[in-house]
Amino acid sequence: DVNAASYDDCSDIDLTIRLTEVNGVAVSPFDPLNQFQECHTLTCDQLGTVEIELRVVDDANGDGIYNPLVDNVNFCWLDVLVEDKTAPICIPPAPVTVSCADLAQDFPQDLNLEVINDPVGTFALLDAQFGAATGLDNCPNPTVTQTVFDDRNSCGVGTIQRGFTVTDAEGFTSPPNCSQLITVIGIHDYTIVFPGDEENDQCIDQDYNGVTFEENGCDLIAISTTIDTFTATADECYKVRVVYEVINWCEYNTIDDAYVIPRDADGDNILDMDTTVLYVN
């Protein structure tokens, strides 16, 4: 590649090369890796203009040995433009299917908004939870960037689409469609505790305990309370009837009737005992 038409009048010639400059910076002739030889491998550290020195040696004394110390020698030089023409490769993490219960309790509900507020932290979280993309290039240290589109509903069920792009130092980017699909499936796991009856003989307002609940799955529970006060007909000061309506928006289908939980749900005639509803699906 470096030699064009070098020749000698009396014998064959020996051709060897070495590097003399890389982007205007001289290369030491005493560098053991840069001595005259038939081939030099150019690396990504030498992108730009490399000056190549061609040494031509004849066999002046006819001994069949080309010795630049005793035979005739000549030199010429050529500038070589070293470019990176290879686009990087993107390898995404494998698709993932998880339940909403598999996600950490503090996992963001809306990744689209979270990326706007804290892109570095959000992408680091996704890499740790679902794996990171790998960038491959002929030159080292390509840059991997990513995007995310969160299509989960308010119950945390749906898909998360991650897109990745690998960019090398020359600005080349990996082919499109390097992505990971995360599918989040829904499960229901919750506990609801309804308070038992209460009474007081002091004729003072009661500190009524409301319904308490715990969500462990893809649930969105809301509670409404209706209170009726009844005037006393005997020795009571008054009676209060409290009706609780509980709805799980992640389970409600708008068609079926509500399930009624009576005061004495277990039929033991003990009305001041809390009633617990446990549901796992």
Side-chain angles (χ1 to χ4, degrees):
D1 292 332
V2 176
N3 178 58
S6 301
Y7 71 98
D8 183 70
D9 288 334
C10 300
S11 72
D12 292 334
I13 57 176
D14 179 67
L15 304 174
T16 54
I17 58 172
R18 73 178 183 92
L19 280 60
T20 54
E21 289 184 359
V22 176
N23 293 321
V25 179
V27 178
S28 172
F30 303 105
D31 184 346
L33 300 178
N34 191 43
Q35 300 303 303
F36 279 107
Q37 57 195 45
E38 291 185 354
C39 177
H40 278 272
T41 300
L42 300 176
T43 70
C44 294
D45 294 331
Q46 296 158 336
L47 294 177
T49 302
V50 176
E51 185 182 74
I52 305 295
E53 183 177 29
L54 172 65
R55 185 182 68 180
V56 184
V57 182
D58 69 2
D59 183 16
N61 58 15
D63 60 0
I65 300 175
Y66 303 97
N67 189 339
L69 299 179
V70 297
D71 294 320
N72 298 315
V73 61
N74 206 344
F75 303 90
C76 57
W77 295 265
L78 172 71
D79 285 339
V80 174
L81 180 61
V82 183
E83 295 180 307
D84 175 10
K85 292 294 189 181
T86 304
I89 298 172
C90 176
I91 303 175
V96 176
T97 298
V98 297
S99 76
C100 54
D102 295 328
L103 301 177
Q105 189 172 8
D106 58 349
F107 191 84
Q109 176 63 35
D110 187 349
L111 288 170
N112 301 323
L113 180 61
E114 202 70 20
V115 167
I116 296 175
N117 296 329
D118 181 17
V120 175
T122 303
F123 291 140
L125 173 66
L126 293 173
D127 286 346
Q129 184 91 20
F130 303 113
T134 301
L136 302 178
D137 191 47
N138 57 310
C139 290
N141 302 320
T143 301
V144 181
T145 57
Q146 64 176 292
T147 58
V148 64
F149 177 69
D150 190 349
D151 195 32
R152 294 174 297 158
N153 59 25
S154 58
C155 298
V157 178
T159 59
I160 302 171
Q161 185 82 30
R162 301 172 69 196
F164 305 94
T165 301
V166 180
T167 306
D168 66 12
E170 293 298 301
F172 292 110
T173 58
S174 56
N177 301 322
C178 181
S179 61
Q180 178 194 36
L181 180 65
I182 303 163
T183 303
V184 184
I185 59 176
I187 62 172
H188 299 300
D189 182 358
Y190 57 84
T191 302
I192 304 174
V193 179
F194 294 89
D197 286 4
E198 296 182 19
E199 62 180 29
N200 186 290
D201 59 4
Q202 302 298 319
C203 282
I204 61 176
D205 289 339
Q206 296 294 298
D207 182 17
Y208 300 106
N209 296 321
V211 173
T212 60
F213 62 87
E214 181 179 355
E215 300 168 342
N216 300 310
C218 308
D219 302 294
L220 190 60
I221 294 176
I223 300 172
S224 63
T225 304
T226 302
I227 301 177
D228 294 325
T229 302
F230 297 89
T231 304
T233 58
D235 294 334
E236 301 92 347
C237 297
Y238 56 85
K239 291 184 178 181
V240 175
R241 180 176 62 187
V242 183
V243 178
Y244 300 102
E245 185 178 84
V246 180
I247 185 169
N248 184 358
W249 291 109
C250 298
E251 192 178 17
Y252 180 52
N253 62 12
T254 74
I255 298 175
D256 293 334
D257 294 333
Y259 181 77
V260 179
I261 300 175
R263 291 164 60 208
D264 188 14
D266 56 1
D268 61 359
N269 205 32
I270 301 176
L271 302 179
D272 61 354
M273 183 174 62
D274 291 348
T275 299
T276 301
V277 176
L278 174 63
Y279 184 81
V280 178
N281 180 17

